[in-house]
Amino acid sequence: MTKVSMNVNGKKVSRDVPDETLLSDFLREKLRLTGTHVGCDTSQCGACVVHVNGKAVKSCTTLAVSLEGAEVTTIEGLANGKELHPMQVAFNDNHGLQCGFCTPGMIMTSVDMVARYKAEGRKLTSDLIRQELEGNICRCTGYHNIVKSIEDASAKM
Amino acid sequence: MYPTKYHKPASISDAVALLAGNDEAMILGGGQTLLATMKQHLAAPSDLVDIRAIKGMSGISTSDTALTIGAATTHADVAASKEVKKLCPALADLASHIGDPAVRSQGTIGGSIANNDPAADYPAAMLALAATIVTNKREIAADDFFLGQFTTALEEDEIITAVKVNAATKAAYAKFAQPASLFAMVGVFVAKGAAGVRVAITGAGDDGVFRHAGLEAALTADWSDSAVNEVAISADGLMSDLHGSAEYRANLIRVMAKRAVAAT
Amino acid sequence: MTTGIGNPVKRKEDRRFTTGRGRYTDDVRNDNQAYAAFVRSPHAHARVKSIDTKAALAMEGVIDVLNGKQLTGDGIGNLICGWAISSKDGSPMNMGAWSALATEKVRYVGDAVAVVIAETQALARIAAEAVEVDYETLPVAASLTAAMAKGAPQIHDNAPGNLIYDWGLGDEAAADAGLKAAKHVTTLDLTNNRLSPNPMEPRSAVASYDAAEEHYTLYTTSQNPHVARLVLSAFYNVAPEHKLRVIAPDVGGGFGSKIYIYPEEITCLWASMKTNRSVKWTSDRSEAFLTDMHGRDHVTTAQMGFDENGKITGFKVDTIANLGAYMSLFSSSVPTYLYAPLMSGQYDIQNIYCNVRAVYTNTVPVDAYRGAGRPEAAYLVERMMETAARELNMDPAELRRRNFVQSFPHQTPVLMAYDAGDFPKLLDMAQKSADVAGFPARKAEAAKRGKLRGLGYSTFIEACGLAPSKAAGSLGAGVGLWESAEVRVNPVGSIEVLTGSHSHGQGHETTFAQIVAERFDIPVENVSIVHGDTDKVQFGMGTYGSRSAPVGMSAVVKAMDKVEAKVKKIAAHALEASEDDLVIEGGAVKVKGTDKQMLWHEVGLAAYTAHNLPDGMEPGLKETAFFDPVNFSFPSGAFICEVEVDPDTGVTEIVQFVAADDFGTIINPMIVEGQVHGGVAQGIGQAMMEQVVYDDNGQLLTGSYMDYTMPRAADLPFYKVSHQVTPSPNNPLGVKGCGEAGAIGAPPAVINAITDAIGNNHLNMPATAHAVWQAIRAGKSAMAAE
Amino acid sequence: MELTGEYRIAAPRQQVWEALNDAEVLQACIPGCQELEKTSDTEMLAKVTLKIGPVKATFGGEVELVNIDAPKSYTIQGEGKGGIAGFAKGSADVVLAEDGDDTILTYNASAEVGGKLAQLGNRLIQSTARKLAAAFFDNFHERLNQSTPEDA
């Protein structure tokens, strides 16, 4: 057991956990933030993506104990109180989700994607969005409306 | 996962001390391969020695003609580095296509090279660019470093600290991704520089990354995609699996070599 | 009113999903939570000689290790297939015994032999590895060829030669005669590749047992919790129905794979009683690949005859279906009644015969996967039409037009009576949308860039809205296929609809609310949809076979009819008006031509205060209804796929995908289009990427996303989706169902396009770059040989 | 999966044969072999650790010599259980032919892997099996003969 402290969605949290605890388990089981999902075990589906120190990370392939002092944002922490993040709004506006299981990871990846392109001053086209989504799998939507959602939010973020 | 003990040494000597005499301890870099393997219960290290916090392990420094990239530098940082883009844009481009954005923000160049997965991208770049692998003990030429799939010249408690890459006058990497994993099914890195023309191929070989003498000879004589057409590319020694026969991989080597050359 | 039928109302359920507040089965954690891990066979076929649990039981935190003999000893019944199919000779299907935990023999890699219950999930998994099972390995039949070979290993004793049934539909003599009379006969051999459904949420079950009440509660990832309860109760003897509550909360996709009852749910329920703990099991993806039911997996040889005008004279089909190691819940119906009756496609074919043999193999069971039987039929018929057109040197669209059914209802020789449609118009719409006229120019332009461009059609039909109970019963179904609904108007006028349909991504909370909002002219926000809990909702049949709208919504409509009748009685009484003069609009019940009205909530309140109801009327405003359709519904579509192939690598890019569909009435076009997008993506996945591969020893080689190719965003295009509406006359809304069309129609369109591009018709799915490259080479050498 | 090879060994056939039947020699030559304990003239218990990149699995099982036609040929076969990793089976038909003072050893081996390794690692199994088979005979060859293999 190791005591790990981090800042999750703006709140400081500390828990004693076995060293092998993955960040996804830490969030889901220790903090009961069950919006972060686990959809595969080979780090490919992206349902578990959260932000660690401002970068998109697959929480199923990250040890919680390695994140002492880190700033973590999960899907539960994306909205500003009752006001949804533009990406969350765009997914609703554009029907970018169906079963909702991949959605938290999709949105966290998308927010990171748009932020990175904005920071680098690059334009995000639909082709680039599709490439950037290589680490996120959705089985329901055929991606059409996910790409539309990200294009939409990108214009508003 | 099986229980393990996590360590985050602050120095190389602390890391070495943790590894010494413990066969079951493993070095943890970005963890994008190791943690995935541990989740499957196919690896059970007693101790994980996370070398990312060691001073000097991350970051990129340059001279006029060479890059030194710290072993714990992430793929995303290599891809975004102005220095890498300037001195060796092919390497930045390669890094920008490893895995996916979340993997790139965690995975490290040292981890990739030490693992020497037969479908990893970096080993092809190291070999083609005649890079030098710097460890806590010595400097190893790429030609002497990659010894077959998952096999390197690294000794038990030897830790990669950095790689040194010389700028090439021409270099490019063309990858054909395996459709499911998006790992390289065939990746061809072509480079022309002080070390001559070097062509390294990943993903395709039955025993990991290798250099292709025929392509190197042809491109030494004539650096053009048409020169590639004249080279015999044998399927012998190439991998055959669900995703592609050895013949298909041989074909892809030619096509990717042409595309890489054309991109320079 | 912008929230009623036909409006793209934004989904009400999205807020919880986009904020991480969805509640899926694995999110449930009870107070006394323990965790299950299964001990699974690494062998595809073996006798279980002994199970040594000592080491596992000795681990601290391990609560119990349970095996199959204990399970059957407690009277837990075998898993069954619920649709009885008889062979041509009248003999019943040969269903082998399937225990939730194997007792004597394991028959596929992943077959469970024991379960460990422990304090944590990690520990349960570690302890499961410590259970020592001694297997005596047996010869393996992992493929149809191996299973049907002379002297093949016998997988179940009661299925000689591994044959489950040898079944036929249609008139064989007539089909033979039709072929004999033909001017041209096209023969085609094809394979329908085996797929893994891969909903993104892995299966999960959380079972708890209340010893005082002898009552069980099961949270599970199910598409039909009611049928799950019925089967768990009636066949597996877990508990009587009133002692078992099944809840399917938010479910992260199903695509058919979550229709069935799986061994894990049965085992968790039983284990919760044995250990007196809440028992949770959540599959990881590796386990899902091993144990989730697969889909498709047919090999077929077929002949179609044509007269001198290109009219079809006869169609004869011989199919062998791989059902895996056991017969899953609906598995028998998929290659029979969900397949052969679709052999007429959109065409007027008088002579059809379809023979189907179903075979056991040492692989995970195969059952319904999005489309279930209909994609296999559409693939065969539409590949056949395209191949015939090439052989006859005819425009493939023209050949189709010459054979289209022109009037409705249309009775085929294979059971089905098509309800409504306009196939020529649908094809026109698709051709226009795809700019087929401009294709030759695009092809020439692509050729200049060294690319091979091709165009492929698929004009397909499906049978949805499963379906008349009487007909299903006569064909062997073990359950009725109606649906139930309850509409509750609360005293304040808000409405709860309880439906036996189940949403696992389809957006029922929005679309079902829309039909209520439309009917009673109230805001969609004032309507909530309740589903997925057997304690709340009366018995229902669940969601599969595109049945939620045609059957589930129809039941809601019937219940609303009853509510409306009562509302009008109450209002007529209160307003002293005639019921015939009342209209419901603008949130009120109004007397036509006057300003007299009762606000909607006033009616609700009146019903419950019961101070002023007509004499003899019961208080309350809640009605239930069951809807049993008189027929299937028959959505039809015309898909056109255009591809560009890179001959150097075989890489195929879909440059255009047009889907013109006829779903009858559309409730929410945004959601319907979403269903088409997703279905087409899965169809493209089947056509170009996905395939389950077992080696000869029955080892699964595509057991993770490293080897099983899931379609990703960069693999897929934007889709051009359009609709025409010919309402189905067989349900009150005129809807036909839209959930499966994409997956049914897309594969033949894609393969027809690629084979057109490369000039070689011999290409199996999945048409990976590797396969296409090989087909180009084979085509070249075939041409060179000629 | 079929794997073949041929070696020229500068030793008489009888000597090669004896080495092929010597548990100590076999243990030294089987890659990753940690234990090899003879339980009869033709049967042994073995513990072998397999490393493929980050994957490390230890297999315990039996090695058996069958189809013995001394000193010309036998089949060496083994089967081991590797816990969650699954199981591995391998066999090699080994034939010794006299060529003057030398012995020509040919082998024809096959391997089968089941369980998690097959499910997750299939891209690596064939090349690994080939590598392991070659390593065994290379080691054996080297032990008896310092010259390089003709065809490994």
Side-chain angles (χ1 to χ4, degrees):
Chain A
M1 289 282 189
T2 298
K3 184 172 177 151
V4 56
S5 303
M6 51 181 107
N7 207 324
V8 178
N9 297 333
K11 282 193 200 120
K12 191 164 187 264
V13 296
S14 289
R15 294 288 189 281
D16 283 314
V17 294
D19 286 11
E20 63 274 15
T21 304
L22 296 164
L23 177 59
S24 51
D25 281 336
F26 183 80
L27 296 170
R28 288 182 57 79
E29 299 299 329
K30 298 292 170 191
L31 306 183
R32 295 299 286 157
L33 291 170
T34 56
T36 297
H37 296 153
V38 178
C40 79
D41 32 39
T42 49
S43 309
Q44 274 154 318
C45 82
C48 67
V49 169
V50 300
H51 296 172
V52 175
N53 297 329
K55 285 181 184 161
V57 163
K58 290 189 169 168
S59 65
C60 79
T61 315
T62 307
L63 290 177
V65 291
S66 72
L67 298 179
E68 178 65 31
E71 295 278 341
V72 176
T73 306
T74 72
I75 188 71
E76 289 93 341
L78 196 60
N80 182 8
K82 283 206 147 184
E83 190 193 335
L84 297 184
H85 186 279
M87 192 63 74
Q88 291 169 313
V89 175
F91 269 68
N92 178 232
D93 284 350
N94 295 279
H95 190 30
L97 65 148
Q98 290 182 25
C99 83
F101 195 80
C102 77
T103 308
M106 235 6 127
I107 289 179
M108 297 310 282
T109 294
S110 304
V111 169
D112 171 74
M113 179 197 309
V114 173
R116 264 190 294 116
Y117 275 71
K118 290 234 186 288
E120 291 169 20
R122 297 171 65 196
K123 191 173 156 41
L124 198 50
T125 64
S126 66
D127 278 350
L128 286 168
I129 291 170
R130 288 180 186 274
Q131 282 172 35
E132 288 283 341
L133 287 177
E134 64 192 322
N136 290 75
I137 300 176
C138 167
R139 190 58 150 170
C140 294
T141 64
Y143 303 98
H144 182 113
N145 287 339
I146 291 178
V147 177
K148 295 274 182 207
S149 302
I150 300 168
E151 283 183 304
D152 181 14
S154 171
K156 293 169 183 164
M157 269 170 70
Chain B
M1 297 211 284
Y2 298 119
T4 190
K5 184 93 195 77
Y6 174 83
H7 310 269
K8 204 169 191 175
S11 70
I12 287 280
S13 55
D14 287 354
V16 170
L18 288 161
L19 292 167
N22 184 352
D23 280 354
E24 301 300 324
M26 289 180 86
I27 297 171
L28 178 69
Q32 301 302 291
T33 301
L34 180 54
L35 292 177
T37 311
M38 289 173 69
K39 280 196 288 183
Q40 296 289 355
H41 283 191
L42 291 175
S46 64
D47 295 76
L48 287 174
V49 181
D50 185 343
I51 58 170
R52 288 173 292 183
I54 294 172
K55 216 171 162 220
M57 287 292 267
S58 307
I60 296 162
S61 59
T62 58
S63 68
D64 286 348
T65 58
L67 288 161
T68 301
I69 303 173
T73 308
T74 64
H75 309 325
D77 286 343
V78 172
S81 159
K82 285 197 184 78
E83 293 84 357
V84 179
K85 281 181 183 169
K86 188 172 153 222
L87 278 175
C88 195
L91 188 62
D93 177 60
L94 173 146
S96 75
H97 290 100
I98 300 172
D100 58 57
V103 167
R104 289 194 283 275
S105 76
Q106 294 294 293
T108 64
I109 188 169
S112 169
I113 289 167
N115 191 40
N116 192 16
D117 187 294
D121 299 306
Y122 270 132
M126 296 299 107
L127 210 48
L129 292 167
T132 303
I133 317 300
V134 184
T135 77
N136 56 326
K137 294 183 173 176
R138 55 189 166 143
E139 297 199 347
I140 311 168
D143 280 325
D144 302 326
F145 183 84
F146 299 105
L147 304 178
Q149 68 167 20
F150 294 118
T151 313
T152 67
L154 288 173
E155 291 161 9
E156 279 302 315
D157 52 357
E158 189 168 13
I159 300 170
I160 300 177
T161 55
V163 297
K164 288 189 193 166
V165 180
N166 291 310
T169 49
K170 287 182 173 183
Y173 181 60
K175 169 159 75 171
F176 188 92
Q178 193 257 58
S181 67
L182 302 183
F183 273 62
M185 185 140 103
V186 168
V188 179
F189 201 108
V190 297
K192 187 177 190 177
V197 168
R198 293 166 66 103
V199 178
I201 294 160
T202 188
D206 214 3
D207 198 21
V209 66
F210 66 96
R211 285 173 61 190
H212 199 285
L215 286 170
E216 290 183 356
L219 290 171
T220 303
D222 173 16
W223 183 269
S224 74
D225 51 342
S226 57
V228 173
N229 276 332
E230 307 305 316
V231 181
I233 295 174
S234 166
D236 289 348
L238 298 187
M239 195 189 285
S240 221
D241 66 4
L242 292 176
H243 305 286
S245 62
E247 291 73 26
Y248 185 52
R249 283 182 161 87
N251 170 66
L252 289 177
I253 289 173
R254 179 189 311 284
V255 177
M256 292 301 117
K258 281 165 72 172
R259 291 183 185 175
V261 171
T264 60
Chain C
M1 175 63 57
T2 54
T3 59
I5 292 172
N7 285 293
V9 178
K10 286 175 197 166
R11 297 206 323 171
K12 296 170 65 176
E13 44 271 82
D14 284 2
R15 189 166 181 103
R16 69 176 185 275
F17 293 135
T18 57
T19 56
R21 266 82 177 182
R23 192 181 193 227
Y24 299 87
T25 300
D26 189 52
D27 301 340
V28 173
R29 189 167 76 189
N30 290 317
D31 285 344
N32 58 346
Q33 196 63 59
Y35 298 83
F38 287 82
V39 179
R40 299 190 181 279
S41 170
H43 304 288
H45 200 191
R47 222 169 279 292
V48 180
K49 284 160 70 183
S50 64
I51 303 172
D52 181 352
T53 59
K54 273 200 266 344
L57 279 168
M59 291 181 175
E60 197 185 326
V62 170
I63 299 160
D64 208 346
V65 183
L66 302 165
N67 65 43
K69 289 202 168 125
Q70 290 169 283
L71 178 112
T72 51
D74 280 355
I76 302 295
N78 285 327
L79 284 95
I80 48 111
C81 174
W83 195 307
I85 299 289
S86 296
S87 285
K88 288 181 287 189
D89 64 7
S91 59
M93 64 187 187
N94 299 320
M95 180 161 59
W98 183 11
S99 170
L101 296 173
T103 51
E104 306 291 338
K105 240 171 86 159
V106 288
R107 294 180 174 86
Y108 68 94
V109 171
D111 210 351
V113 294
V115 64
V116 174
I117 313 298
E119 295 293 344
T120 69
Q121 190 179 51
L123 178 62
R125 287 185 178 174
I126 290 169
E129 292 164 21
V131 175
E132 279 281 332
V133 185
D134 192 8
Y135 296 100
E136 176 196 342
T137 55
L138 299 168
V140 173
S143 65
L144 284 174
T145 315
M148 296 176 79
K150 223 175 161 193
Q154 187 72 27
I155 296 169
H156 291 278
D157 292 340
N158 65 336
N162 299 314
L163 185 69
I164 301 169
Y165 52 71
D166 181 353
W167 173 91
L169 183 70
D171 185 336
E172 186 169 18
D176 283 335
L179 290 173
K180 212 172 164 195
K183 187 94 191 298
H184 176 86
V185 175
T186 290
T187 300
L188 200 58
D189 295 322
L190 47 77
T191 300
N192 212 288
N193 43 326
R194 186 174 178 125
L195 306 176
S196 180
N198 275 295
M200 292 320 295
E201 179 204 25
R203 287 190 295 121
S204 180
V206 183
S208 54
Y209 178 66
D210 178 340
E213 302 290 338
E214 296 182 318
H215 183 278
Y216 293 84
T217 301
L218 174 69
Y219 284 87
T220 182
T221 47
S222 175
Q223 297 178 220
N224 55 356
H226 304 281
V227 175
R229 181 170 79 153
L230 165 68
V231 175
L232 286 164
S233 179
F235 295 96
Y236 308 140
N237 305 320
V238 172
E241 279 170 293
H242 65 297
K243 296 289 187 186
L244 173 59
R245 177 184 185 186
V246 179
I247 303 166
D250 285 329
V251 173
F255 315 113
S257 71
K258 291 172 179 170
I259 301 174
Y260 332 111
I261 315 301
Y262 284 87
E264 291 84 4
E265 295 151 11
I266 300 170
T267 305
C268 284
L269 279 165
W270 169 68
S272 74
M273 181 271 291
K274 294 295 269 190
T275 59
N276 209 13
R277 295 286 296 268
S278 174
V279 173
K280 179 194 274 196
W281 168 78
T282 299
S283 172
D284 60 23
R285 187 58 59 184
S286 304
E287 211 171 6
F289 272 108
L290 282 182
T291 65
D292 287 3
M293 305 304 166
H294 290 163
R296 319 282 194 253
D297 206 347
H298 289 190
V299 295
T300 294
T301 297
Q303 288 108 30
M304 191 179 267
F306 294 85
D307 70 11
E308 60 280 4
N309 297 316
K311 285 279 292 175
I312 302 165
T313 58
F315 188 26
K316 193 172 177 188
V317 180
D318 183 18
T319 291
I320 306 170
N322 184 347
L323 293 195
Y326 300 101
M327 292 192 73
S328 170
L329 193 62
F330 283 172
S331 60
S332 59
S333 65
V334 176
T336 53
Y337 288 112
L338 295 177
Y339 172 64
L342 281 305
M343 284 303 159
S344 200
Q346 293 189 357
Y347 314 109
D348 179 7
I349 310 177
Q350 289 307 312
N351 309 304
I352 301 176
Y353 180 69
C354 179
N355 191 92
V356 179
R357 284 168 288 169
V359 174
Y360 281 122
T361 60
N362 290 118
T363 61
V364 77
V366 177
D367 206 324
Y369 165 63
R370 200 171 195 168
R374 290 149 291 166
E376 295 90 317
Y379 184 65
L380 172 60
V381 173
E382 291 305 300
R383 283 289 290 131
M384 199 62 150
M385 293 305 282
E386 203 87 4
T387 304
R390 285 168 194 171
E391 290 177 0
L392 294 166
N393 211 14
M394 269 180 78
D395 172 22
E398 175 58 24
L399 181 66
R400 286 174 167 89
R401 285 182 195 281
R402 288 192 191 179
N403 286 285
F404 277 152
V405 168
Q406 300 289 347
S407 64
F408 298 89
H410 171 82
Q411 178 65 51
T412 72
V414 278
L415 296 176
M416 294 307 194
Y418 295 167
D419 53 357
D422 187 340
F423 303 148
K425 214 174 115 196
L426 205 51
L427 181 54
D428 287 343
M429 183 191 278
Q431 287 188 304
K432 215 169 160 189
S433 171
D435 183 22
V436 171
F439 175 71
R442 295 196 294 275
K443 188 178 171 77
E445 186 277 329
K448 279 188 205 152
R449 288 182 281 112
K451 297 284 173 70
L452 309 171
R453 201 154 171 131
L455 185 135
Y457 289 91
S458 165
T459 56
F460 63 96
I461 194 153
E462 43 170 333
C464 291
L466 300 178
S469 298
K470 198 171 168 185
S474 74
L475 301 177
V479 288
L481 290 166
W482 43 266
E483 192 48 87
S484 74
E486 178 177 325
V487 174
R488 289 182 192 162
V489 183
N490 295 316
V492 292
S494 63
I495 295 180
E496 280 150 350
V497 175
L498 291 82
T499 169
S501 294
H502 184 271
S503 178
H504 29 282
Q506 296 90 339
H508 290 181
E509 289 168 48
T510 305
T511 52
F512 277 55
Q514 279 180 259
I515 63 169
V516 178
E518 164 106 4
R519 181 68 169 267
F520 299 129
D521 207 4
I522 60 173
V524 78
E525 293 74 31
N526 291 5
V527 183
S528 71
I529 308 300
V530 179
H531 64 77
D533 184 342
T534 59
D535 260 15
K536 292 182 181 167
V537 181
Q538 65 189 337
F539 192 57
M541 296 307 302
T543 287
Y544 42 87
S546 305
R547 65 192 305 280
S548 291
V551 192
M553 279 186 182
S554 295
V556 176
V557 169
K558 272 190 78 178
M560 289 195 298
D561 289 344
K562 295 184 190 175
V563 168
E564 181 175 335
K566 189 164 181 180
V567 161
K568 285 188 172 170
K569 279 197 174 76
I570 294 169
H573 177 74
L575 297 169
E576 296 175 338
S578 159
E579 285 172 49
D580 296 339
D581 292 337
L582 297 179
V583 289
I584 301 176
E585 62 181 29
V589 185
K590 295 177 177 167
V591 183
K592 271 185 272 185
T594 74
D595 58 359
K596 285 209 288 185
Q597 65 172 31
M598 245 181 125
L599 294 174
W600 178 253
H601 71 263
E602 290 172 344
V603 182
L605 199 61
Y608 288 94
T609 56
H611 295 160
N612 185 23
L613 293 179
D615 286 346
M617 179 182 274
E618 290 178 16
L621 193 50
K622 180 192 99 168
E623 298 291 347
T624 65
F626 289 74
F627 179 76
D628 198 345
V630 296
N631 192 358
F632 288 90
S633 59
F634 294 90
S636 53
F639 287 5
I640 299 175
C641 176
E642 194 167 325
V643 299
E644 245 181 51
V645 177
D646 173 1
D648 291 344
T649 58
V651 167
T652 301
E653 187 192 349
I654 295 179
V655 290
Q656 173 167 260
F657 199 99
V658 165
D661 283 291
D662 185 342
F663 296 130
T665 306
I666 288 175
I667 309 297
N668 183 325
M670 176 193 81
I671 286 176
V672 166
E673 283 173 20
Q675 288 291 312
V676 174
H677 297 163
V680 168
Q682 279 175 334
I684 293 172
Q686 166 162 28
M688 295 176 62
M689 290 162 242
E690 301 180 42
Q691 179 161 38
V692 171
V693 180
Y694 284 95
D695 72 8
D696 291 343
N697 301 312
Q699 295 294 332
L700 177 66
L701 301 184
T702 47
S704 78
Y705 291 150
M706 298 290 281
D707 288 301
Y708 188 87
T709 307
M710 289 288 279
R712 288 181 171 86
D715 298 322
L716 297 167
F718 286 117
Y719 319 95
K720 286 166 98 170
V721 178
S722 54
H723 310 286
Q724 79 176 17
V725 177
T726 65
S728 172
N730 297 326
N731 62 64
L733 290 165
V735 296
K736 293 180 177 172
C738 65
E740 297 162 294
I744 293 168
V750 173
I751 298 298
N752 287 338
I754 299 175
T755 50
D756 178 49
I758 66 175
N760 180 357
N761 199 48
H762 298 287
L763 180 66
N764 268 325
M765 298 190 289
T768 60
H770 181 216
V772 171
W773 178 77
Q774 285 179 320
I776 293 170
R777 288 216 306 178
K780 274 185 190 153
S781 54
M783 270 194 275
E786 273 168 16
Chain D
M1 182 182 342
E2 298 294 319
L3 321 152
T4 57
E6 184 178 310
Y7 295 80
R8 172 177 291 273
I9 300 170
R13 182 160 76 174
Q14 186 61 33
Q15 189 191 331
V16 177
W17 176 258
E18 280 164 18
L20 272 179
N21 284 271
D22 182 335
E24 205 177 307
V25 174
L26 293 177
Q27 180 175 351
C29 296
I30 296 172
C33 186
Q34 300 179 326
E35 291 168 24
L36 193 74
E37 185 196 327
K38 228 169 165 163
T39 53
S40 80
D41 276 356
T42 57
E43 292 163 304
M44 289 151 271
L45 284 176
K47 203 166 139 189
V48 176
T49 298
L50 177 65
K51 270 198 78 177
I52 316 173
V55 174
K56 190 171 174 185
T58 298
F59 292 82
E62 287 167 8
V63 176
E64 204 181 351
L65 308 176
V66 296
N67 305 329
I68 295 171
D69 181 9
K72 283 187 254 172
S73 65
Y74 74 17
T75 301
I76 179 168
Q77 62 188 35
E79 181 175 350
K81 283 199 245 182
I84 189 64
F87 65 86
K89 283 184 195 175
S91 79
D93 299 325
V94 186
V95 177
L96 303 179
E98 291 183 301
D99 186 27
D101 291 341
D102 291 352
T103 304
I104 308 292
L105 179 155
T106 53
Y107 73 86
N108 193 334
S110 65
E112 181 191 332
V113 178
K116 209 151 204 173
L117 277 182
Q119 188 187 352
L120 297 169
N122 81 74
R123 73 185 171 118
L124 305 170
I125 286 167
Q126 193 165 338
S127 54
T128 304
R130 187 172 296 127
K131 224 173 160 172
L132 292 175
F136 171 78
F137 289 103
D138 282 352
N139 292 343
F140 182 78
H141 174 255
E142 209 166 298
R143 207 178 159 93
L144 277 105
N145 185 355
Q146 295 308 311
S147 68
T148 50
E150 278 177 14
D151 180 12

